[in-house]
Amino acid sequence: MNENVVLEADDVERTLRRIAHEIVEKNPGEPGALAIVGIHTRGAVLAARIQALLAGLTDPQPPLGEIDISFYRDDIGARSPDRQPVVHATRLDFPLEGRTVVLVDDVLFTGRTVRAGIEALFDYGRPARIQLAVLCDRGHRELPIRPDYVGKNLPTSRHERVAVRLRETDGTDSVAILSPLEAVE
């Protein structure tokens, strides 16, 4: 398979460490008012890693949550029966009110997943602020959404696919751009 690997395991770790430092810098004096929430599936994994990195930088450690956006997506009815989403549990064991919530996802593309994530958060409470952290921003926005923290900007065509692999779900850490022919396979 011909794929262009743009981040290897060391790059992913370094990128997440930088994002954690940027979160601390952008939110000085607010460690108790900060929360990290990941969008299932890979965003939740990345959120857990960012929260672990923040443990050494903030006191107290921000709480960690995860949300499932399956029923908040605007394309759920348009999907074919064989491409329906897998539903995961939402876990938010802390109040959102008054907090700065850093919403974490793996790839920012059209902005529709993030919109669904924000909508899901508001069903659980009203945070003071929501910030967005993404491992990769590939452009092609359809909604006016801009991340606060970006690991890597990836110029891609609309027909390419970005494959994020994480050791917790895929056995290895990497980010690759797949060509249109490979993206279909």
Side-chain angles (χ1 to χ4, degrees):
M1 177 183 280
N2 186 17
E3 65 181 34
N4 178 18
V5 176
V6 293
L7 293 175
E8 294 183 358
D10 290 346
D11 302 318
V12 171
E13 180 62 29
R14 189 173 27 260
T15 299
L16 294 176
R17 190 174 309 284
R18 181 176 42 79
I19 288 173
H21 281 274
E22 289 176 11
I23 290 169
V24 171
E25 290 170 12
K26 192 166 184 174
N27 299 286
E30 295 186 36
L34 195 61
I36 310 298
V37 176
I39 297 174
H40 274 289
T41 295
R42 286 172 181 79
V45 171
L46 293 170
R49 289 194 196 179
I50 289 171
Q51 187 225 25
L53 291 166
L54 288 170
L57 304 172
T58 63
D59 187 33
Q61 181 179 21
L64 175 65
E66 50 194 53
I67 57 171
D68 179 76
I69 60 155
S70 297
F71 297 114
Y72 293 89
R73 295 189 58 92
D74 61 5
D75 64 349
I76 193 162
R79 290 179 171 214
S80 65
D82 62 324
R83 292 201 61 232
Q84 290 301 312
V86 176
V87 179
H88 299 277
T90 291
R91 187 181 54 79
L92 293 169
D93 302 332
F94 50 88
L96 296 178
E97 285 73 14
R99 290 189 189 272
T100 295
V101 173
V102 179
L103 188 61
V104 181
D105 203 9
D106 57 348
V107 178
L108 179 57
F109 183 29
T110 62
R112 293 183 181 280
T113 298
V114 173
R115 183 215 47 88
I118 292 169
E119 192 175 323
L121 278 176
F122 280 125
D123 276 353
Y124 288 90
R126 188 178 187 282
R129 290 186 297 182
I130 298 174
Q131 297 175 349
L132 176 61
V134 295
L135 181 62
C136 301
D137 181 354
R138 62 173 291 189
H140 306 287
R141 220 74 79 237
E142 295 174 2
L143 299 173
I145 291 176
R146 181 179 52 88
D148 298 279
Y149 313 101
V150 178
K152 179 131 179 109
N153 287 296
L154 298 176
T156 62
S157 77
R158 288 191 67 83
H159 303 291
E160 291 175 311
R161 199 177 112 223
V162 175
V164 174
R165 297 177 185 106
L166 300 174
R167 66 180 175 265
E168 294 87 342
T169 56
D170 309 295
T172 187
D173 284 348
S174 69
V175 176
I177 299 174
L178 306 179
S179 69
L181 178 60
E182 294 155 337
V184 174
E185 292 179 357

